[in-house]
């Protein structure tokens, strides 16, 4: 398996966690009027945006490896949805990240509230994307080594001739 595609699982977990936690820090900082929490939210979100780009790049590589093996299946349809969302999320995260940077230097209470709403939508979409990715792996077995499935369902996999 290609090294870049192997990095997708760990990178995507960082993206999901950092985006969600960054927004939650900012919400807590806004409600509690605590600058330290907003500071934590700022940096956590920015690293989350970078991680989101890493998840998109590694996800594209992982998708290329499994796409042909699952064409014509329910897993393929889900993979296509996952890919479509994955092409939009980094751009959305970047725009929200830019807004967050602007607010760091030119704070406006109303605009910050708007950022929080956009951040919650981003966090929700990121969580949904993670759920779809998890379903691909845990329900369809996409991208994992072939194993005997005790329930008899089809397990889509990548042959790893060099991994023996």
């Amino acid at each position: 398996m290609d090294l870049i595609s192997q990095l997708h699982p760990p990178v995507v977990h960082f993206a999901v966690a950092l985006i969600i936690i960054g927004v939650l820090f900012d919400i807590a900082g806004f409600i509690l009027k605590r600058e330290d929490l907003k500071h934590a939210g700022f940096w956590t979100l920015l690293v989350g945006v970078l991680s989101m780009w890493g998840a998109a790049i590694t996800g594209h590589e992982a998708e290329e490896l499994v796409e042909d093996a699952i064409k014509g299946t329910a897993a393929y349809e889900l993979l296509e949805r996952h890919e479509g969302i994955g092409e939009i999320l980094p751009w959305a995260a970047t725009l929200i990240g830019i807004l967050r940077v602007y607010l760091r230097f030119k704070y406006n209470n109303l605009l910050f509230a708007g950022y929080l709403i956009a951040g919650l939508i981003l966090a929700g979409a990121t969580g949904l994307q993670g759920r779809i990715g998890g379903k691909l792996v845990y329900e369809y077995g996409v991208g994992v080594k072939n194993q005997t499935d005790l329930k008899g369902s089809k397990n889509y996999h990548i042959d790893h001739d060099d991994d023996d």
Side-chain angles (χ1 to χ4, degrees), residues 28-130:
F30 184 76
I31 292 170
L32 301 173
K33 298 182 184 346
R34 291 200 30 205
E35 290 303 313
D36 58 332
L37 292 174
K38 287 181 188 174
H39 187 75
F42 174 79
W43 289 109
T44 305
L45 183 80
L46 290 188
V47 176
V49 170
L50 295 174
S51 296
M52 185 74 77
W53 280 103
I57 292 165
T58 59
H60 176 73
E61 293 300 315
E63 184 263 346
E64 290 295 315
L65 288 174
V66 299
E67 186 175 30
D68 289 338
I70 65 171
K71 272 201 172 131
T73 68
Y76 180 77
E77 298 303 318
L78 195 58
L79 180 67
E80 288 297 302
R81 184 179 330 157
H82 189 62
E83 179 184 23
I85 295 169
E87 291 172 349
I88 296 167
L89 273 179
W91 294 104
T94 299
L95 290 174
I96 291 170
I98 290 169
L99 176 57
R100 186 62 183 93
V101 169
Y102 175 82
L103 287 165
R104 174 95 170 144
F105 298 103
K106 297 267 187 175
Y107 187 81
N108 175 296
N109 221 29
L110 185 60
L111 192 54
F112 198 84
Y115 150 75
L116 292 176
I117 292 168
L120 280 172
I121 293 168
L122 175 65
T126 302
L128 172 65
Q129 179 72 332

Side-chain angles (χ1 to χ4, degrees), residues 5-17:
S5 66
Q6 287 180 355
L7 291 173
H8 186 61
V11 170
V12 78
H13 285 92
F14 275 104
V16 170

